[in-house]
Amino acid sequence: MTAIPGLRRYHAPVWDEPVVMEMGRPGRRGIVFAEPEQAVASLAGSPEELVPARVRRSTRLALPELSEHEVLRHYLHLSQETLGMIGISLFGTCTMKYNPRLNELIAARPEIAEVHPYQDEDSLQGILEPIYHCDLMLRELSGMDQFSFQAGGGAHGAYTHACVTRGYLAARGELEQRDQVIVTIQTHPCCPATAAAAGFEVVTLMLEENGYPSVEALKAAVSDRTAALMVNNPDDMGIYNPDIKQWVDIVHDAGGLCFWDHANSNGVMGKIRARELGFDACMYMLHKTFGAPKGGLGPAVGAYGCTAELARFLPNPIIDFDGEKYRLDVDRPDSIGKVREFWGNVPQIVKAYSWLRAMGTEGIHEARDLSVLANNYMEQRMLKIPGVTKSNPENAQWRMEMTRYSLETLEQDTGVTAVDVQNRMTDFGIDAPWLSHEPWLIPQPITPEAGEAWSKEDLDYWVAVLEEVSREAYSDPELVKSAPHNQAIHRPDTRHVEDPAHWAMTWRAHTKKRAAVRSGEPAVVSRAGAKPEEGVASA
Amino acid sequence: MALPGSIAHPYMPNSEPRTKQEMLDALGIAEVDELYEQIPADHRIKGDLKLPKALMSELDLRRHLLQTLAKNETCEENLSFLGAGCWQHHVPAICDEIAGRSEFVTNIWGTTSSDHGRNQALFEFCSQIGELVNMDCVGLPVYSWGCAAGHAIRMAARMTGRREVLIPRSLDPERLSVIRNYCEPAETRNHINVIMVDYDFESGRIDLEDLASKMSQSAAAVYLENPSYLGVIETEGAEVARLAHDCGAETIVGVDPISLGLLAAPADYGADIAVGTIQPLGLHLSCGGSMGGFIAARDEERYVREYPTLLLSLCETVETGERGFTMTLLEQSSYDAREEGKDWTGHTVHLWAIVSATYMALMGPEGFAEAGGSIISRSHYAAKRLDELDGVRIAFPAGFFKEFVVGFDDTGKTVADINLALRRHGIFGGKDLSRDFPELGQSALYCVTEVHSQDDIDRLVDALSEVISR
């Protein structure tokens, strides 16, 4: 950890923390429950008697036995071995925002944490109200007529659209006929994946030189089989499709619905809306654009909004207001039903509501402006770094809130890849920037996103680190290729993890396979149901 | 546009006007608006947004939020017997501490090295779930129990090439609705036919004769829950699995994991895939907002290669003797394979999984055994006491865990009326089943856990006694 002029010294905490399954000693307790009261025990009978013999657990659970303090320290150590936003994280397509801690404290209060969704509506007014008003604010931002918060993430929001599309088409008697969903190769993978999982065939449009597919390509793709278009715009290269209104018209004329995957809307919020562009539905990720935290991939919310025409198909329940009271509307015969139990990730909805209230109209405009400004500010510095170029250079217009860069030149010059650069940047307390969704349209991509929450000094520091890594790549490529050097652990050896004899998704699988490898036995595949001491049988 | 009075917003460091100006100067532009040149004029909003006035002051915002939330009544101030998939259990303080750690709350997706601590915590989640269900492969979590069941059914359909699933009619209607969406409508290409199997009116358990008559070589899977939605312990899991396996179908069992210190693991009676909820494992009610599901299976390629979830494997690092945890089989996920992927994955509930890992580590074998014992004793005590009341009948009095069906037909009152009256006693009565299960008459699903003391239960009995005698 030598000091590099102009850069701070950094090293991640290293704890060599054992896996919890190997920790503790028999008899230690992290929590105890008192014996039931005498009257309870004597009336109810013993737990053993209450469980029919054939479904009684016969073996003791092989879980760790630890004291409360040991458990706390173990997970604190693991939290410290997680860099994320404790450093600087400009993870493109995920809009790394400041997550106001007020909202964490509010969500942990009993008025949210200790309420049950099946309580009487009368006793839930204080939670229905912010959800309803979050809906109203998202309606204003999108021009849509109704939102549902049931989807547990952005991909789930896309799936919700696929289900709503099914409901809409079924009501028109067209579901069998309209079996295709159109996406572009730059549409987030969750759109084609959820469309396929909902039963649709996926048609994918490729990009032209300017960074988006042509109108002609779309015209050739639509037909009486078209169910829907699912698309994001601007895309995650920071490129806006100026033909999008015409696209919507083409799909509508063909009889399909248009869905805007607006998960990351930081670059255009308050500037354009689904309504004016003609979309039938859109989706926001509340844990991205609207300030709720990511949680390392959730809990999350894909807020799905649509026009009045589609609203009758939305999942149950919808929250309504009759002028006096907020109520849950479940009497909706055309609803697609549920995509998840209960209403959605309620604490996250309240956090988004709070974030929107803290921002207001001016704040939304300011956050958008700062995001686009910061990205272009970074871009002009980034393109001066040796080995760094950007996608679609023919498109000379200012990019939106993201720019996709390529490290192809760096890789050709030095052998250092984008993944190497990611790893080396973490040595400076910068968590890995996003590369690109599959497929990689340009070689060695990286996609930082500045957002509004990082200071200019943070952004300058981020660029300075990339400058240093580029300098290292050209002077001492091995240093970068063998990175990280200052992290909690070194780079993984992934040679065996695709091999069933080695992959280990649990500790019990690991211990069995390690034993088999050591004893030279053939690849171990456990039979569920076999008791550990009975060993294993082959597949 | 500037913020009111050009005050820098606390969430936005560069809203300080000079910082912003420096960036504009660096780009050689006068206004940010120049940067939106890609967006045609006729795409833009006419007029301005109408959002409520900003509450930039944390003090003002906090006051507003507290005033709003104060309109709720909670299960802390009231005595609640609501469950039905969202259960009130004790949440250890350590769980809340870990749930609030900034590193876990705010991270997204770094490298295997920079995410090491989070990945290890997630691996420990999978490992401990694996012990509870006695299975070796556990994926990273999904949105909810119903979503886990839906994915598992689709896995079975792909594995067997069959398009039929058998499900007991005692299933939670919410979860059934989720599953039906996963099974696709009849008009679409991969529709899976959902066949409902009766439950026995005496015991509440799955009707084996009906199952046997409906099971065929067309079945991809049977999906059984244990305990059932109505709280009943399914004793015939092994026979259900045998019937399924004899027809070449998969056996999927859904579990409430907090029962597994007491009840046999699904694998022990033949389950091939186990799914369930993680909400009881250290997560608050949060108005149904802390759901999460898991999918566990045999560690055989046939199963593992159909997983839709992210999968995390223990591995070594390039440093001898050092251990890491890395994503594997990403090529079958929707992130890599788009529409060719196994269903889809994305943001789910990773933070909750870490909280559940913490919970399971605190509980250990004795904690699960004690909690399970406490729950079953208290719920049976409650059922027996309620059964003593005139006109009150316990529908399935033997062999239940945590929840039980209370019938009120002979009181001449509806559940709705009774629950309304109970509220005046500061009690939330059980979930009204009369609409979803009309064959059970005016009945409610009561949930009793380790948090309910004898006094709490006696208070319920006294209040109900008064309510039904009016």
Side-chain angles (χ1 to χ4, degrees):
Chain A
M1 191 170 55
T2 43
I4 294 168
L7 298 180
R8 282 180 258 169
R9 295 191 308 156
Y10 164 79
H11 200 296
V14 176
W15 286 108
D16 280 343
E17 198 65 18
V19 171
V20 75
M21 310 302 283
E22 355 169 51
M23 294 173 70
R25 298 185 71 158
R28 285 218 184 115
R29 298 295 299 272
I31 188 165
V32 295
F33 298 91
E35 290 271 304
E37 298 84 339
Q38 187 56 47
V40 171
S42 59
L43 185 62
S46 76
E48 289 68 33
E49 292 162 7
L50 296 171
V51 180
R54 70 176 75 173
V55 284
R56 216 177 280 157
R57 183 172 278 272
S58 55
T59 52
R60 200 162 175 271
L61 284 170
L63 290 174
E65 297 175 69
L66 296 162
S67 68
E68 197 175 319
H69 189 201
E70 289 172 290
V71 174
L72 174 64
R73 285 171 57 248
H74 174 67
Y75 287 102
L76 289 179
H77 290 167
L78 295 185
S79 73
Q80 291 177 343
E81 289 182 325
T82 305
L83 174 56
M85 288 186 82
I86 306 307
I88 303 172
S89 176
L90 307 185
F91 195 90
T93 76
C94 274
T95 317
M96 303 305 287
K97 297 218 165 194
Y98 172 62
N99 310 125
R101 295 310 192 269
L102 170 69
N103 300 341
E104 298 304 307
L105 296 177
I106 291 289
R109 290 179 65 96
E111 298 94 316
I112 295 180
E114 306 302 340
V115 298
H116 194 288
Y118 290 144
Q119 285 175 217
D120 279 353
E121 285 166 2
D122 275 0
S123 68
L124 294 171
Q125 293 295 303
I127 197 80
L128 293 170
E129 182 178 324
I131 298 173
Y132 180 78
H133 285 275
C134 191
D135 182 351
L136 290 188
M137 288 191 281
L138 295 185
R139 291 185 206 177
E140 179 63 19
L141 279 164
S142 64
M144 294 288 97
D145 297 315
Q146 178 77 61
F147 272 80
S148 163
F149 298 103
Q150 197 169 103
H156 209 197
Y159 174 70
T160 302
H161 178 70
C163 293
V164 166
T165 301
R166 291 191 312 212
Y168 167 82
L169 292 175
R172 296 163 65 95
E174 292 184 335
L175 181 53
E176 215 161 344
Q177 169 204 326
R178 293 191 177 272
D179 63 347
Q180 288 183 339
V181 165
I182 300 172
V183 302
T184 80
I185 194 68
Q186 265 292 86
T187 304
H188 188 282
C190 75
C191 289
T194 53
F200 294 103
E201 187 180 305
V202 175
V203 177
T204 305
L205 306 181
M206 305 308 281
L207 311 185
E208 304 287 321
E209 285 292 291
N210 49 18
Y212 44 90
S214 67
V215 168
E216 288 66 38
L218 178 67
K219 281 181 178 164
V222 297
S223 71
D224 61 0
R225 292 179 63 189
T226 301
L229 171 74
M230 296 175 80
V231 69
N232 40 338
N233 187 46
D235 70 6
D236 66 357
M237 304 191 298
I239 294 174
Y240 186 89
N241 179 351
D243 303 327
I244 196 68
K245 283 177 91 165
Q246 201 184 340
W247 276 45
V248 169
D249 290 342
I250 290 165
V251 173
H252 280 163
D253 288 347
L257 294 174
C258 293
F259 167 71
W260 187 9
D261 175 354
H262 210 19
N264 313 292
S265 40
N266 233 38
V268 294
M269 59 182 177
K271 183 70 79 182
I272 56 174
R273 306 197 302 175
R275 168 71 67 190
E276 281 77 10
L277 299 181
F279 282 98
D280 304 290
C282 71
M283 183 272 293
Y284 296 115
M285 288 171 100
L286 299 187
H287 52 293
K288 292 185 176 176
T289 307
F290 297 98
K294 310 280 188 309
L297 289 193
V301 178
Y304 177 80
C306 63
T307 58
E309 191 188 3
L310 292 184
R312 64 190 171 112
F313 302 107
L314 283 173
N316 269 332
I318 287 296
I319 294 170
D320 229 340
F321 182 56
D322 65 9
E324 278 183 19
K325 284 199 167 156
Y326 300 91
R327 49 181 289 273
L328 293 163
D329 184 4
V330 290
D331 196 14
R332 305 170 56 249
D334 296 324
S335 165
I336 60 165
K338 312 287 294 192
V339 294
R340 171 196 178 280
E341 293 92 323
F342 306 112
W343 319 346
N345 282 323
V346 171
Q348 301 295 75
I349 307 168
V350 175
K351 290 174 199 176
Y353 167 80
S354 176
W355 186 85
L356 276 163
R357 289 307 313 267
M359 297 297 275
T361 302
E362 295 87 356
I364 292 290
H365 287 306
E366 182 75 0
R368 179 201 64 233
D369 283 355
L370 290 175
S371 300
V372 176
L373 177 61
N375 178 51
N376 284 289
Y377 169 76
M378 276 184 75
E379 181 183 309
Q380 49 100 36
R381 289 201 57 185
M382 290 279 288
L383 294 175
K384 292 181 184 138
I385 300 174
V388 180
T389 58
K390 74 169 174 178
S391 83
N392 307 85
E394 307 80 2
N395 187 332
Q397 292 176 304
W398 298 107
R399 292 289 155 96
M400 304 300 297
E401 84 283 23
M402 273 181 277
T403 298
R404 168 136 319 135
Y405 302 95
S406 171
L407 301 180
E408 182 181 21
T409 308
L410 186 84
E411 197 256 345
Q412 285 170 349
D413 291 347
T414 69
V416 166
T417 66
V419 169
D420 297 333
V421 169
Q422 273 188 318
N423 273 292
R424 182 56 180 155
M425 289 183 84
T426 68
D427 280 339
F428 298 90
I430 305 280
D431 209 358
W434 175 234
L435 302 179
S436 164
H437 289 294
E438 296 290 334
W440 286 6
L441 299 178
I442 60 165
Q444 304 301 323
I446 64 166
T447 318
E449 178 180 347
E452 80 278 8
W454 302 96
S455 68
K456 178 173 171 294
E457 301 90 285
D458 290 331
L459 304 177
D460 287 337
Y461 195 82
W462 196 99
V463 175
V465 167
L466 187 60
E467 283 168 350
E468 172 60 21
V469 174
S470 164
R471 189 159 42 238
E472 289 173 353
Y474 283 96
S475 60
D476 182 5
E478 209 40 51
L479 176 67
V480 184
K481 288 160 78 74
S482 58
H485 306 286
N486 301 338
Q487 266 308 323
I489 57 166
H490 295 79
R491 214 184 284 204
D493 175 358
T494 56
R495 281 174 302 169
H496 302 302
V497 297
E498 305 252 319
D499 176 356
H502 283 90
W503 73 43
M505 283 47 138
T506 57
W507 181 251
R508 53 197 275 132
H510 168 68
T511 50
K512 286 176 195 173
K513 291 178 186 184
R514 185 180 52 187
V517 167
R518 283 187 182 159
S519 67
E521 291 294 313
V524 170
V525 180
S526 71
R527 297 293 300 188
K531 300 228 165 42
E533 62 273 19
E534 292 170 11
V536 289
S538 67
Chain B
M1 174 165 313
L3 291 164
S6 288
I7 297 170
H9 196 290
Y11 302 167
M12 297 187 274
N14 301 333
S15 62
E16 183 277 308
R18 277 168 304 183
T19 314
K20 194 172 166 183
Q21 192 59 49
E22 280 172 28
M23 293 200 289
L24 289 166
D25 292 346
L27 295 181
I29 59 172
E31 295 283 341
V32 177
D33 220 41
E34 296 176 41
L35 300 176
Y36 297 107
E37 60 175 335
Q38 289 193 78
I39 305 177
D42 70 329
H43 290 201
R44 302 185 188 196
I45 301 173
K46 308 284 183 290
D48 204 0
L49 297 173
K50 295 175 199 66
L51 294 178
K53 184 176 171 300
L55 296 170
M56 263 173 67
S57 152
E58 184 181 84
L59 173 62
D60 295 344
L61 182 58
R62 179 175 184 276
R63 182 185 296 123
H64 164 69
L65 292 169
L66 291 188
Q67 280 171 354
T68 306
L69 291 172
K71 297 166 194 166
N72 285 334
E73 290 179 38
T74 74
C75 298
E76 214 169 64
E77 320 152 309
N78 291 271
L79 178 57
S80 173
F81 294 93
L82 288 166
C86 183
W87 301 296
Q88 194 174 15
H89 288 289
H90 175 65
V91 175
I94 303 296
C95 290
D96 284 335
E97 168 72 12
I98 296 303
R101 286 292 294 186
S102 279
E103 299 92 330
F104 286 150
V105 167
T106 63
N107 80 91
I108 177 72
W109 190 267
T111 65
T112 299
S113 307
S114 66
D115 282 342
H116 176 63
R118 184 203 68 194
N119 286 349
Q120 179 166 338
L122 291 172
F123 179 81
E124 294 177 354
F125 164 78
C126 295
S127 294
Q128 295 182 92
I129 291 284
E131 293 302 332
L132 288 174
V133 298
N134 197 13
M135 286 181 175
D136 287 2
C137 181
V138 181
L140 292 184
V142 298
Y143 312 114
S144 74
W145 185 352
C147 293
H151 282 300
I153 290 165
R154 292 178 65 90
M155 284 171 70
R158 291 193 295 268
M159 285 163 53
T160 58
R162 300 174 180 180
R163 317 222 64 84
E164 206 170 274
V165 60
L166 289 86
I167 297 178
R169 207 160 55 75
S170 56
L171 194 76
D172 174 7
E174 294 232 354
R175 191 145 50 253
L176 179 60
S177 179
V178 174
I179 289 171
R180 283 193 186 281
N181 269 317
Y182 274 85
C183 289
E184 302 184 21
E187 297 97 319
T188 59
R189 56 181 183 169
N190 291 326
H191 169 63
I192 299 169
N193 192 19
V194 177
I195 297 178
M196 302 309 290
V197 178
D198 282 338
Y199 63 91
D200 179 74
F201 277 171
E202 289 300 309
S203 67
R205 297 194 289 264
I206 189 167
D207 182 334
L208 281 176
E209 272 182 43
D210 195 47
L211 176 68
S213 73
K214 288 170 177 166
M215 179 65 73
S216 74
Q217 301 286 333
S218 308
V222 57
Y223 175 65
L224 181 74
E225 288 188 356
N226 202 8
S228 77
Y229 174 66
L230 302 178
V232 172
I233 297 171
E234 294 283 2
T235 54
E236 308 307 316
E239 182 59 12
V240 170
R242 190 190 65 76
L243 285 169
H245 291 160
D246 283 354
C247 286
E250 302 294 322
T251 306
I252 306 169
V253 173
V255 289
D256 169 1
I258 209 163
S259 70
L260 292 175
L262 211 56
L263 299 189
D268 295 346
Y269 48 87
D272 304 296
I273 304 177
V275 298
T277 172
I278 66 172
Q279 187 268 328
L281 305 177
L283 299 167
H284 295 272
L285 300 172
S286 302
C287 205
S290 43
M291 295 296 118
F294 67 83
I295 305 173
R298 297 176 184 275
D299 188 5
E300 295 168 15
E301 282 194 82
R302 186 162 173 266
Y303 295 87
V304 179
R305 294 206 187 271
E306 290 301 335
Y307 258 76
T309 68
L310 293 173
L311 293 164
L312 188 62
S313 175
L314 186 146
C315 67
E316 293 178 348
T317 76
V318 295
E319 187 86 348
T320 307
E322 194 177 62
R323 199 187 269 156
F325 306 90
T326 189
M327 298 297 160
T328 186
L329 302 181
L330 267 176
E331 67 274 9
Q332 73 192 40
S333 81
S334 58
Y335 278 117
D336 269 32
R338 300 174 72 88
E339 66 269 26
E340 301 300 322
K342 306 297 180 187
D343 299 343
W344 78 92
T345 187
H347 282 69
T348 62
V349 293
H350 284 193
L351 178 63
W352 292 159
I354 292 174
V355 177
S356 289
T358 308
Y359 180 86
M360 291 185 275
L362 280 167
M363 290 285 276
E366 294 305 319
F368 272 100
E370 273 178 14
S374 179
I375 292 164
I376 203 164
S377 297
R378 292 172 191 285
S379 52
H380 279 259
Y381 173 78
K384 285 185 170 157
R385 291 286 333 266
L386 291 175
D387 200 33
E388 292 163 8
L389 298 176
D390 279 344
V392 175
R393 183 181 156 269
I394 305 303
F396 313 114
F400 61 85
F401 178 82
K402 187 158 89 178
E403 289 177 285
F404 51 95
V405 177
V406 184
F408 294 101
D409 276 348
D410 296 341
T411 66
K413 291 184 159 48
T414 65
V415 173
D417 288 342
I418 290 168
N419 282 353
L420 191 64
L422 283 175
R423 272 194 67 194
R424 291 190 211 108
H425 293 261
I427 294 173
F428 298 154
K431 173 157 197 311
D432 191 344
L433 296 174
S434 56
R435 182 169 151 162
D436 294 325
F437 293 89
E439 70 274 20
L440 298 175
Q442 283 298 318
S443 66
L445 187 64
Y446 271 73
C447 169
V448 174
T449 75
E450 77 282 6
V451 306
H452 294 96
S453 68
Q454 183 194 344
D455 286 348
D456 291 337
I457 297 165
D458 292 347
R459 204 181 121 203
L460 168 70
V461 175
D462 292 345
L464 256 181
S465 169
E466 190 186 318
V467 164
I468 59 180
S469 65
R470 286 229 173 127

